[in-house]
Amino acid sequence: MQRFPFLDLYIRLARGLAGVLAVLGVVQAFKVWDLGFWAFLFTLVSALVTAFMVLVVADLFGCWKAIEANTRKSP
């Protein structure tokens, strides 16, 4: 029996969520283009970093789950 089924759900949904965040961030960055180049750049970079961090956290959860499964004592 799997001990952490919610982690599988998050790991599977993280790629889609990161993709949506990246696309919405690019759209939002072009919306703030009127405020100047630096506003555009800051918005774009912050959106892409946020999407990347979602993937990093999903990867950390995946690694933690694998380590926990490999170190569990078998009966």
Side-chain angles (χ1 to χ4, degrees):
M1 181 179 159
Q2 217 171 357
R3 289 181 53 159
F4 303 104
F6 65 92
L7 286 179
D8 282 335
L9 178 64
Y10 176 76
I11 292 167
R12 281 186 278 141
L13 293 177
R15 285 188 179 163
L17 178 64
V20 168
L21 285 174
V23 169
L24 289 177
V26 170
V27 169
Q28 188 64 32
F30 280 110
K31 283 184 178 181
V32 299
W33 179 259
D34 295 336
L35 297 176
F37 173 75
W38 293 110
F40 168 79
L41 189 64
F42 178 76
T43 306
L44 184 66
V45 168
S46 63
L48 295 179
V49 166
T50 303
F52 179 71
M53 291 310 290
V54 168
L55 292 176
V56 167
V57 171
D59 190 43
L60 286 174
F61 281 153
C63 291
W64 178 74
K65 186 177 173 209
I67 291 170
E68 194 274 334
N70 289 334
T71 58
R72 190 180 319 142
K73 290 182 180 179
S74 57

